[in-house]
């Protein structure tokens, strides 16, 4: 059972143009199941720089980043991990004692899935539209 919300509760968040409820329900369910003293809340913003400054100033532990903020957030961070730098896109911000690092966990997941597959000189290109 998750402890009650109090002064030691860590906040995680998401930034999206149109925040939904799935991420908050999912994360908060897992925090509860694991007994973690965390709270997850979705936000939108018209002031991205202010929101990122708030992550640092309020010691928000992490932030999921959705469109249209994935590229715009990059200059506001202290650094990028290889996953985000590889595609110039951030979907996760981690706050380690005021140092904000950008990651792209989607890139890492896909890379980890295809890395063990045999290589071929043949491939497919396109964006899925016909």
């Amino acid at each position: 059972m998750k402890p009650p919300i109090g002064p030691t509760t860590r906040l995680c968040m998401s930034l999206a143009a149109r925040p939904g409820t799935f991420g908050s329900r999912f994360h908060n369910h897992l925090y509860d199941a694991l007994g973690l003293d965390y709270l997850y809340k979705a936000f939108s913003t018209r002031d991205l720089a202010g929101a990122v400054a708030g992550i640092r100033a309020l010691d928000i532990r992490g932030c999921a980043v959705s469109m249209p903020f994935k590229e715009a957030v990059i200059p506001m961070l202290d650094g990028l991990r290889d996953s985000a730098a590889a595609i110039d896109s951030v979907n996760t911000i981690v706050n380690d004692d005021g140092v904000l690092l950008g990651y792209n966990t989607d890139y890492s997941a896909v890379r980890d899935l295809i890395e063990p597959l045999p290589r071929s000189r043949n491939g497919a290109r396109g964006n899925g539209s016909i």
Side-chain angles (χ1 to χ4, degrees):
M1 183 66 129
K2 178 179 162 180
I5 296 171
T8 61
T9 302
R10 297 295 310 264
L11 179 62
C12 294
M13 62 181 278
S14 65
L15 283 172
R18 293 180 307 219
T21 61
F22 177 78
S24 295
R25 290 190 337 258
F26 178 75
H27 283 87
N28 288 315
H29 171 77
L30 290 176
Y31 297 156
D32 187 43
L34 297 170
L36 298 175
D37 192 13
Y38 280 76
L39 176 69
Y40 190 93
K41 170 82 172 76
F43 295 91
S44 186
T45 186
R46 293 187 180 137
D47 179 4
L48 184 59
V52 173
I55 294 168
R56 190 186 318 271
L58 297 172
D59 196 28
I60 294 170
R61 179 66 178 123
C63 177
V65 181
S66 295
M67 292 304 290
F69 307 121
K70 291 182 177 211
E71 295 172 359
V73 75
I74 292 173
M76 301 167 203
L77 304 178
D78 298 309
L80 296 179
R81 293 309 217 183
D82 291 345
S83 60
I87 58 173
D88 292 322
S89 178
V90 169
N91 74 350
T92 303
I93 300 170
V94 175
N95 182 356
D96 282 320
D97 297 319
V99 177
L100 304 183
L101 296 178
Y103 295 75
N104 194 301
T105 59
D106 295 334
Y107 174 86
S108 300
V110 171
R111 182 198 60 217
D112 292 349
L113 284 171
I114 65 173
E115 205 166 60
L117 298 176
R119 301 285 190 254
S120 170
R121 295 183 73 196
N122 301 321
R125 288 177 51 127
N127 65 2
S129 63
I130 297 177

